[in-house]
Amino acid sequence: MSLSLSSSLSLPLPLPLSNQFTTTPSLAMKFLVKKARGARVGALEIIHGNNNNNNNNIININTPNLIISTCKGLPHFISPDLLSSIPSSILQVSPLHFTAEGVSTNTVSKLGGLHQMLGLNKYCIVAVPRDSVQCIPQFKGATKFGPSFDTPSGRLLVKPKDYVETISCMKPNIWSALADEVPAWVSNKRNKSSVDRTLKWLDECLALNPETGSIFGAIVGGSNLEERKRCTEEVAKRNVSGYWIGGFGLGESMDERPALLSAITDVLPDEKPRMICGLGLPEEILQGIAAGIDLFDSTYIYTLTLGGFALTFPLDKNGDQHNLQPSEIESDSTKINLRATAYRNDTSPILEDCSCYTCKNHTKAYINHLLNVHEMLAQILLEIHNTHHYLMFFEVIRDAIQDGRFEKFRQTFLESRRVPFQAISA
Amino acid sequence: MPVGTQGTIKGLTNSQLEDIGCQIILGNTYHLALRPTSELLAEAGGLHKFMNWRRAMLTDSGGFQMVSLLHLADITEKGVTFQSPVDGKPMLLTPEESIQIQNRIGADIIMALDDVVKTTITGPRIEEAMYRTLRWIDRCIEAHGRPHDQNLFGIVQGGLDPVLRDICIKGLVDRNLPGYAIGGLAGGEDKDSFWRVVAQCTGSLPEDKPRYVMGVGYPLDVVVCSALGADMYDCVYPTRTARFGTALVPEGVLKLKQRAMADDTRPIDPTCPCMVCKNYSRAYIHCLVTKDAMGSQLLSYHNLYYMMQLSRDLHSSIVEGRFPKFVCDFLSKMFPEGNVPEWVCNAMEVAGIDISSCCTFSERVCNAKVAGIDISSDCTLSSSCGEHDSDNVSDKYDELKLKLERLRNNEDALRR
Ligand SMILES: [Zn+2]
Ligand SMILES: [Zn+2]
């Protein structure tokens, strides 16, 4: 067993590998995880090849980590040559972007799958139908045949058979099963049916037995603890390589989340990765990590970038946010809005000690100008910085977990972050 | 020179521009003076520093943008009067002011303010503009505060009148400027007039100073003007056309929006070694263009790469003494049927470049004349004509061929 782990990660070997539990798909994926309960660090190893074992390349991802959100497979504004400057190798792709926008699955297949089409052979590609930006699940449109999504080209019902066919053509490394995601306020009856449907669709996907990538079972159940538990228990019985947790960020309160998350992770087997959708803010990420989630989507970064925001919160080793300068310009000093006229003459980078392309090369004044004149380079530079900063946040968190300081880190982060907020609002 | 109107080449980072081999970019003084303002740029240490661009830079005078963008611009001896786009008040841009603004922006090459008239206008206004441009150059030189770090280029005016052009050239050359631009072209004049003006100017301008043809940037025009002895070009075309989903290829243009592209697994240009062509299919670009930011980013990258590669090829083929062969290869790819436009043939004849091996134009004009159609001034024959796309060209040509065919059949029938 030769696993290349990052130097910061020392795992006691041998550990149970997930391929001992699952069949064909998992040959393409290994997952080593250090701790059982609560926050955990792990190493995901993706074996990526073109069906013959000679040309395999191995992609390593340390968890917890961020999955970079994309539009049609590429980050919204970062082209592949610039992407290489960002320390990440895992991207989320929505297959619906293509079915809805003109490239037929047949063509994707002819090109050799998503990796070939996107020119991203060194990246782990995770296919998830929804993307929180363009393809939003529409619980009212879902039927027993499949979930429904609002896409740029109208409402789309996705049946398991069609979905699996698409996945077979696209050949992602990881793909989530279909989920009937419902908002927090639906009736218990609707919530129950969403769990039933999600399980049925998972069974249909598994029955079709596509020989591609690793399938992650979808877990739903809304804000109902019992339903969450029931769904998790059922999915855990199935032959899946990991778990995709949906139905969060859909109207539930921050306070009820820890219990819901624990209801899920308590039931899930330790040795398989858990991915979640809908948690974006640093506070939310910490909630998820505390519950033992491994992978997060990054729509938050996209939203910040579009709004002209740059993340500036300190990446202190201990989570200390007291260095946040409560500024007169911003109401929330965890990020700055570069549209503000205060940055017109500011010839310093977004963050002095940030090593991203943007901070190494450009000033706040320049980005402020680009935003003022509606130039696309503003979004390119902001997405680079924000993605980089958030990835560094995850790195700091991994170190804290590794050193057994996560709980302290989390407390310090949350408490010290609250202070400047109050100072300003007072 | 890629055009970076507002201190950025649309959709590309500086590192990407360096990667594709871009050595000089153009900034528009009019836009930069509005935002972020030349005062702020001066404070930041100039546009180079403001946008962190380490290579060369040129700014225009701002006059052309005013005349073309603002309806109420009016030119008097003092300068260009225009309505402020901010508050609607009348404003005046004098030659002195244009230079002062450009001094603050700090580009390596700055342009004199000239009296811009449409080339399609005729009569005394052309003459007036030419003489005024000459009077203004003295005011520009006088006002130039940084002659040791910034090179002031004069602009040759005079419309399509060779006599006026000649007077202007002599006047400018007398001032011994670091470089010269050929202005007042690319404004809708016919192609034959266009190249003749370029040829006349390059013939009289000093050999040891750069010559910049303003507003010219279609690949075919660049090749023709280079054959005539011009050195520099600018054009927003590669990036603008990218935003509309059009790629520059050796055959002319490729419209990625077309339905047929959706299943085309080939790269945009299989012979292009750029990052985009190495990685992406036409099918993938098809689904991005005109909808997603990434579509115009990737196409702009390819199009600018194409222009940079074309410039490099022109340069090296001249250095290595194989320029005529390069021109022939270029033309035979763009006009595989040998239907090189007449104006190109004429220009190449004057440039002393034998393109007979790739050109069947004379035969074609004869054919057309037989058919009773005069195509010698047909602008659709030029792939660089912005108003007509290449489909249109081939459609017309096919139509023409059909007519010819019928004519021959009739003749044959008569003979029998
Ligand atoms: Zn940065
Ligand atoms: Zn290319």
Side-chain angles (χ1 to χ4, degrees):
Chain A
M1 174 167 36
S2 70
L3 288 173
S4 39
L5 301 171
S6 93
S7 54
S8 66
L9 196 72
S10 53
L11 295 170
L13 294 171
L15 269 177
L17 295 177
S18 59
N19 62 351
Q20 291 175 310
F21 301 92
T22 50
T23 53
T24 335
S26 66
L27 288 175
M29 189 187 94
K30 291 174 187 168
F31 185 56
L32 283 175
V33 67
K34 198 179 176 186
K35 195 177 168 300
R37 267 189 77 87
R40 56 197 216 153
V41 280
L44 187 62
E45 185 185 288
I46 303 293
I47 299 110
H48 178 67
N50 357 329
N51 295 336
N52 68 54
N53 291 331
N54 306 328
N55 269 336
N56 285 343
N57 73 62
I58 292 176
I59 303 154
N60 290 298
I61 298 134
N62 292 327
T63 63
N65 218 326
L66 186 71
I67 309 178
I68 296 184
S69 99
T70 69
C71 172
K72 293 172 188 164
L74 288 179
H76 301 269
F77 303 103
I78 310 174
S79 56
D81 52 327
L82 300 169
L83 186 60
S84 56
S85 77
I86 287 174
S88 168
S89 44
I90 180 163
L91 300 169
Q92 179 171 326
V93 178
S94 166
L96 304 188
H97 288 178
F98 303 105
T99 52
E101 294 269 354
V103 177
S104 66
T105 46
N106 193 14
T107 304
V108 182
S109 181
K110 254 201 293 181
L111 287 165
L114 285 172
H115 290 86
Q116 296 295 324
M117 180 169 81
L118 302 169
L120 297 174
N121 265 308
K122 297 203 164 79
Y123 286 80
C124 168
I125 293 180
V126 181
V128 178
R130 72 169 284 187
D131 70 354
S132 317
V133 179
Q134 288 188 356
C135 298
I136 318 282
Q138 271 307 326
F139 74 102
K140 280 182 180 155
T143 71
K144 62 178 177 176
F145 300 112
S148 165
F149 301 88
D150 274 350
T151 75
S153 40
R155 195 163 283 192
L156 205 68
L157 187 86
V158 182
K159 294 177 183 166
K161 189 173 169 294
D162 300 336
Y163 180 61
V164 168
E165 208 174 287
T166 304
I167 293 294
S168 304
C169 292
M170 296 193 166
K171 303 187 181 68
N173 303 101
I174 294 171
W175 55 288
S176 79
L178 295 169
D180 186 15
E181 289 184 85
V182 294
W185 60 81
V186 296
S187 67
N188 278 340
K189 194 178 154 224
R190 177 67 181 87
N191 198 12
K192 188 178 172 304
S193 75
S194 93
V195 172
D196 293 339
R197 284 172 182 176
T198 301
L199 292 170
K200 177 171 162 273
W201 299 336
L202 174 59
D203 289 335
E204 286 175 39
C205 286
L206 287 170
L208 289 159
N209 193 27
E211 286 185 18
T212 186
S214 306
I215 183 173
F216 278 29
I219 294 166
V220 294
S223 298
N224 185 315
L225 275 174
E226 287 312 307
E227 286 303 320
R228 281 281 176 190
K229 232 160 113 182
R230 178 169 76 93
C231 191
T232 311
E233 275 162 1
E234 285 302 317
V235 174
K237 286 179 198 162
R238 267 74 169 175
N239 184 16
V240 293
S241 305
Y243 305 93
W244 181 84
I245 303 164
F248 280 97
L250 296 175
E252 80 282 2
S253 74
M254 279 280 277
D255 295 340
E256 60 185 321
R257 218 180 268 147
L260 289 165
L261 288 170
S262 304
I264 297 164
T265 51
D266 284 352
V267 177
L268 289 177
D270 289 335
E271 69 282 357
K272 293 184 188 180
R274 303 135 179 196
M275 188 184 299
I276 199 162
C277 176
L279 305 188
L281 298 166
E283 289 86 346
E284 294 179 312
I285 299 290
L286 290 172
Q287 274 191 330
I289 289 174
I293 307 291
D294 305 303
L295 293 163
F296 296 80
D297 76 329
S298 62
T299 312
Y300 176 58
I301 300 296
Y302 176 67
T303 318
L304 286 176
T305 300
L306 279 195
F309 288 99
L311 285 172
T312 51
F313 66 85
L315 295 173
D316 178 71
K317 177 173 172 289
N318 299 312
D320 192 350
Q321 301 293 294
H322 281 121
N323 290 335
L324 271 182
Q325 301 291 322
S327 75
E328 283 143 38
I329 311 159
E330 310 285 344
S331 56
D332 162 5
S333 41
T334 64
K335 54 184 189 290
I336 58 174
N337 194 318
L338 285 165
R339 283 184 213 279
T341 47
Y343 301 115
R344 237 177 81 85
N345 296 302
D346 193 331
T347 52
S348 63
I350 296 168
L351 284 176
E352 285 301 341
D353 51 359
C354 179
S355 62
C356 84
Y357 175 83
T358 305
C359 293
K360 283 265 170 264
N361 289 286
H362 295 292
T363 63
K364 294 195 203 75
Y366 183 53
I367 301 171
N368 171 265
H369 164 68
L370 293 173
L371 287 166
N372 280 335
V373 295
H374 310 286
E375 282 285 353
M376 201 193 298
L377 185 58
Q379 281 78 44
I380 298 176
L381 296 178
L382 283 175
E383 192 176 26
I384 290 176
H385 168 79
N386 287 331
T387 307
H388 188 271
H389 193 74
Y390 229 40
L391 288 167
M392 291 302 116
F393 177 52
F394 274 86
E395 190 175 299
V396 171
I397 294 173
R398 284 195 300 273
D399 287 347
I401 302 172
Q402 188 71 36
D403 300 348
R405 306 179 274 107
F406 176 74
E407 251 329 292
K408 187 146 190 304
F409 174 94
R410 189 166 79 103
Q411 290 304 329
T412 312
F413 187 93
L414 295 176
E415 274 159 27
S416 57
R417 197 168 150 102
R418 240 170 258 140
V419 177
F421 273 116
Q422 287 159 355
I424 287 160
S425 54
Chain B
M1 292 184 285
V3 176
T5 300
Q6 325 224 50
T8 159
I9 308 292
K10 287 201 187 306
L12 273 83
T13 62
N14 291 348
S15 60
Q16 289 179 314
L17 288 167
E18 288 181 7
D19 287 347
I20 64 175
C22 169
Q23 295 171 312
I24 177 168
I25 58 170
L26 186 149
N28 288 126
T29 294
Y30 168 75
H31 288 101
L32 292 167
L34 281 178
R35 284 180 304 194
T37 74
S38 62
E39 288 78 11
L40 188 131
L41 288 173
E43 212 180 298
L47 182 56
H48 277 98
K49 222 174 154 204
F50 184 68
M51 65 179 287
N52 193 23
W53 175 249
R54 300 174 191 90
R55 298 185 177 180
M57 187 185 284
L58 178 150
T59 46
D60 63 3
S61 67
F64 176 76
Q65 304 263 319
M66 282 177 190
V67 175
S68 57
L69 293 179
L70 305 172
H71 299 298
L72 294 163
D74 186 31
I75 300 173
T76 65
E77 192 56 31
K78 274 193 201 159
V80 184
T81 47
F82 63 101
Q83 237 184 353
S84 157
V86 182
D87 54 14
K89 281 186 191 143
M91 309 256 300
L92 176 70
L93 180 77
T94 61
E96 290 80 9
E97 225 171 350
S98 168
I99 297 300
Q100 280 157 12
I101 296 170
Q102 294 186 75
N103 281 160
R104 285 196 287 267
I105 296 173
D108 307 283
I109 298 172
I110 62 176
M111 301 303 299
L113 185 69
D114 55 347
D115 184 353
V116 189
V117 247
K118 274 197 177 154
T119 42
T120 45
I121 288 177
T122 50
R125 177 71 185 94
I126 299 284
E127 191 173 342
E128 182 195 38
M130 186 278 288
Y131 281 114
R132 183 169 287 152
T133 299
L134 278 181
R135 286 193 296 275
W136 282 2
I137 188 71
D138 290 323
R139 291 169 58 185
C140 289
I141 295 168
E142 182 67 28
H144 191 5
R146 300 173 61 188
H148 298 292
D149 351 291
Q150 293 183 290
N151 300 287
L152 173 65
F153 278 29
I155 303 171
V156 180
Q157 287 290 353
L160 305 178
D161 186 334
V163 177
L164 296 180
R165 286 274 173 186
D166 221 41
I167 298 169
C168 198
I169 292 167
K170 285 209 178 73
L172 290 174
V173 172
D174 281 347
R175 270 87 172 173
N176 191 26
L177 294 161
Y180 302 93
I182 304 168
L185 293 177
E189 72 282 356
D190 66 276
K191 286 291 184 184
D192 233 19
S193 311
F194 160 74
W195 77 258
R196 282 179 206 282
V197 171
V198 174
Q200 189 206 344
C201 294
T202 52
S204 324
L205 286 166
E207 287 289 340
D208 58 348
K209 301 280 175 73
R211 301 134 174 193
Y212 158 32
V213 189
M214 299 179 84
V216 165
Y218 297 129
L220 181 61
D221 295 3
V222 168
V223 170
V224 172
C225 291
S226 300
L228 295 169
D231 306 299
M232 300 163 66
Y233 313 93
D234 74 79
C235 194
V236 291
Y237 178 64
T239 42
R240 179 182 291 160
T241 209
R243 292 198 293 282
F244 294 113
T246 302
L248 304 180
V249 291
E251 294 75 28
V253 293
L254 191 69
K255 309 222 160 178
L256 272 310
K257 209 59 234 162
Q258 283 170 354
R259 194 69 205 105
M261 297 295 152
D263 303 309
D264 197 329
T265 55
R266 288 173 294 174
I268 294 171
D269 172 8
T271 65
C272 175
C274 89
M275 175 271 289
V276 178
C277 293
K278 270 195 304 203
N279 286 307
Y280 299 106
S281 58
R282 295 173 183 184
Y284 182 61
I285 305 285
H286 166 83
C287 86
L288 296 178
V289 288
T290 72
K291 282 184 207 139
D292 302 298
M294 192 53 70
S296 62
Q297 284 185 43
L298 295 179
L299 261 192
S300 294
Y301 188 103
H302 164 81
N303 282 355
L304 284 177
Y305 188 94
Y306 177 84
M307 292 308 295
M308 291 302 134
Q309 188 61 45
L310 178 64
S311 310
R312 279 193 293 269
D313 289 345
L314 285 167
H315 184 94
S316 59
S317 66
I318 294 167
V319 170
E320 290 160 19
R322 46 176 182 80
F323 183 62
K325 182 172 183 312
F326 173 79
V327 173
C328 276
D329 291 348
F330 175 85
L331 291 174
S332 56
K333 272 179 221 149
M334 195 165 270
F335 306 100
E337 291 168 40
N339 50 329
V340 177
E342 189 185 17
W343 71 272
V344 177
C345 300
N346 296 341
M348 289 304 169
E349 207 179 314
V350 167
I353 304 212
D354 177 14
I355 56 164
S356 54
S357 66
C358 59
C359 182
T360 59
F361 183 80
S362 38
E363 182 201 334
R364 200 178 156 211
V365 173
C366 291
N367 284 340
K369 277 191 183 141
V370 173
I373 306 157
D374 180 17
I375 59 166
S376 55
S377 62
D378 188 345
C379 80
T380 61
L381 289 177
S382 161
S383 69
S384 60
C385 174
E387 288 159 42
H388 302 87
D389 55 31
S390 59
D391 296 342
N392 209 339
V393 177
S394 47
D395 283 357
K396 280 226 168 162
Y397 191 53
D398 288 345
E399 210 175 287
L400 208 69
K401 273 204 285 196
L402 218 74
K403 278 189 187 164
L404 264 175
E405 196 74 17
R406 263 187 234 126
L407 200 79
R408 286 211 184 98
N409 290 342
N410 288 346
E411 276 179 74
D412 288 351
L414 278 174
R415 262 183 230 124
R416 261 183 246 127

